[in-house]
């Protein structure tokens, strides 16, 4: 080591008392906000004997430092059906000016890295970057988490709601009430979401409202209904869909016997064929 040169505010510095020889300049510390020279870059910082002036026996060398940069990675996550793309804006924290935009797509795993961004402002303060989604899809809420260091995640959560209508029908004597369950999923993993008591006071109808429309993986949630505690002597049948509404029909299946006796006054006649008649009037 022949000596140390420390530059001033204007970026210049010097070292005297050297013999005319070959020297290599190695950067010990870069200016704040600038990248330190790599070993490969330092290999060109050679002062040769021929660089020395014959008149004043001085030599000069210019070293160029590039500003420090950062990369900002952003990933898109969907809770609900994923769209075909999402436009992300890169901004400085607290500012509305858009620095860069990028369209995230599933073919790129919904991830992108903004590279070569200035790390510091001109006054030396670190730049805080953030990301934001442009034009959030209808039916979604967008939330940004993470940091420049760890990367950002923009999570879009589907908040669309649906409703399920159900109507009770009786074939036979009408009961006092019926408890209807709203079911999510299929057996054996089905879950009872809600219960409602139907009766004549509500016209044997109800609408379950404010229900999530999609699972977290984007598939539509399957809803159905069933009756809890079917009355004795009845069978229960569920028909319909979420879109059209469900109908629960209770059909009375109780049985009884009807006996008939034929009596003759006088001689007994030929065999008689009886008809069993169902009458709607009393």
């Amino acid at each position: 080591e022949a000596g140390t040169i420390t530059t001033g505010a204007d970026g210049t510095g010097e070292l005297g008392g050297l013999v005319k020889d070959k020297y290599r300049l190695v950067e010990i510390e870069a200016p704040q906000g600038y990248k330190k020279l790599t070993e490969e870059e330092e290999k060109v910082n050679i002062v040769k004997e021929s660089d020395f002036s014959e008149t004043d026996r001085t030599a000069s060398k210019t070293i160029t430092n590039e500003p420090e940069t950062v990369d900002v990675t952003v990933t898109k996550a969907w809770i609900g059906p994923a769209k075909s793309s999402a436009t992300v804006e890169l901004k400085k924290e607290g500012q509305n000016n858009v620095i860069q935009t990028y369209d995230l797509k599933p073919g790129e795993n919904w991830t992108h890295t903004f590279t070569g961004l200035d790390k510091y402002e001109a006054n030396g303060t670190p730049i805080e970057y953030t990301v934001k989604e442009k034009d959030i899809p209808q039916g979604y809420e967008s939330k940004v988490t993470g940091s420049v260091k760890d990367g950002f995640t923009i999570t879009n959560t589907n908040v669309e709601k649906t409703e399920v209508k159900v109507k009770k029908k009786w074939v036979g004597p009408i009961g006092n009430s019926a408890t209807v369950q709203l079911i999510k999923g299929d057996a054996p993993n089905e879950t009872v979401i809600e219960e409602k008591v139907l009766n004549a006071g509500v016209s044997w109808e109800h609408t379950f409202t404010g229900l999530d429309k999609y699972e977290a993986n984007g598939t539509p949630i399957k809803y159905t209904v069933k009756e809890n505690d079917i009355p004795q002597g009845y069978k229960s049948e569920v028909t319909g869909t979420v879109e059209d509404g469900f109908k629960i029909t209770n059909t009375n299946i109780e049985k009884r016997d009807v006996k008939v006796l034929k009596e003759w006054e006088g001689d007994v006649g030929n065999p008689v064929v009886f008809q069993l008649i169902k009458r709607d009037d009393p």
Side-chain angles (χ1 to χ4, degrees):
E1 182 177 337
T4 301
I5 301 174
T6 302
T7 63
D10 61 354
T12 64
E14 62 181 25
L15 178 65
L18 300 175
V19 297
K20 187 178 179 180
D21 203 347
K22 183 178 181 181
Y23 297 92
R24 182 163 65 95
L25 300 176
V26 178
E27 187 172 46
I28 304 300
E29 183 179 351
Q32 182 181 3
Y34 289 85
K35 298 177 183 178
K36 185 177 177 296
L37 296 182
T38 65
E39 186 174 339
E40 287 298 318
E41 291 171 330
E42 289 174 345
K43 288 181 179 179
V44 302
N45 297 328
I46 304 297
V47 180
K48 301 182 290 293
E49 293 183 48
S50 59
D51 292 329
F52 284 86
S53 168
E54 292 296 336
T55 55
D56 57 8
R57 301 183 65 80
T58 63
S60 64
K61 191 72 176 177
T62 300
I63 295 175
T64 303
N65 287 89
E66 296 293 334
E68 281 191 87
T69 60
V70 295
D71 297 338
V72 175
T73 299
V74 57
T75 300
K76 183 71 178 174
W78 297 90
I79 299 178
K83 300 296 182 180
S84 59
S85 65
T87 301
V88 176
E89 298 176 334
L90 176 70
K91 299 181 178 183
K92 291 182 181 180
E93 188 71 56
Q95 297 185 16
N96 292 323
N97 294 335
V98 178
I99 300 172
Q100 293 185 44
T101 61
Y102 192 82
D103 289 334
L104 300 178
K105 296 181 176 65
E108 300 170 339
N109 293 323
W110 295 103
T111 300
H112 175 68
T113 300
F114 299 98
T115 61
L117 306 172
D118 291 339
K119 188 174 182 179
Y120 294 95
E121 299 282 8
N123 60 7
T125 59
I127 298 176
E128 297 292 336
Y129 290 99
T130 187
V131 293
K132 181 181 179 182
E133 182 175 8
K134 180 182 179 182
D135 301 328
I136 300 170
Q138 185 176 359
Y140 284 82
E141 290 181 349
S142 186
K143 182 179 180 181
V144 179
T145 56
S147 63
V148 171
K149 178 182 176 182
D150 300 325
F152 290 101
T153 299
I154 301 179
T155 302
N156 275 17
T157 302
N158 186 281
V159 293
E160 291 181 87
K161 301 298 181 181
T162 188
E163 61 183 28
V164 175
K165 296 181 179 180
V166 59
K167 184 175 183 178
K168 181 70 178 175
K169 181 181 178 181
W170 296 90
V171 179
I174 298 175
N176 295 325
S177 65
T179 301
V180 175
Q181 295 178 329
L182 175 66
I183 307 297
K184 173 183 175 182
D186 293 313
N189 299 318
E190 63 183 29
T191 303
V192 178
I193 303 299
E194 194 176 339
E195 286 189 348
K196 179 65 179 180
V197 177
L198 304 183
N199 52 40
V202 295
S203 300
W204 298 101
E205 296 181 2
H206 179 67
T207 300
F208 298 97
T209 60
L211 306 172
D212 292 337
K213 192 172 182 179
Y214 296 98
E215 299 280 8
N217 62 6
T219 58
I221 296 177
K222 181 178 180 180
Y223 291 104
T224 187
V225 294
K226 73 176 182 179
E227 183 175 4
N228 189 27
D229 297 329
I230 301 171
Q232 186 175 358
Y234 283 83
K235 68 175 182 179
S236 183
E237 181 184 14
V238 178
T239 57
T241 63
V242 171
E243 292 76 16
D244 301 328
F246 291 101
K247 181 169 68 174
I248 300 178
T249 302
N250 275 19
T251 302
N252 188 280
I253 55 175
E254 293 180 282
K255 305 296 182 182
R256 65 174 179 172
D257 297 333
V258 177
K259 294 182 180 181
V260 60
L261 174 64
K262 178 67 177 176
E263 294 183 348
W264 297 89
E265 293 182 1
D267 295 336
V268 176
N270 294 323
V272 177
V273 177
F274 289 97
Q275 291 181 328
L276 178 65
I277 308 298
K278 177 182 177 182
R279 300 181 59 181
D280 294 330
D281 56 322

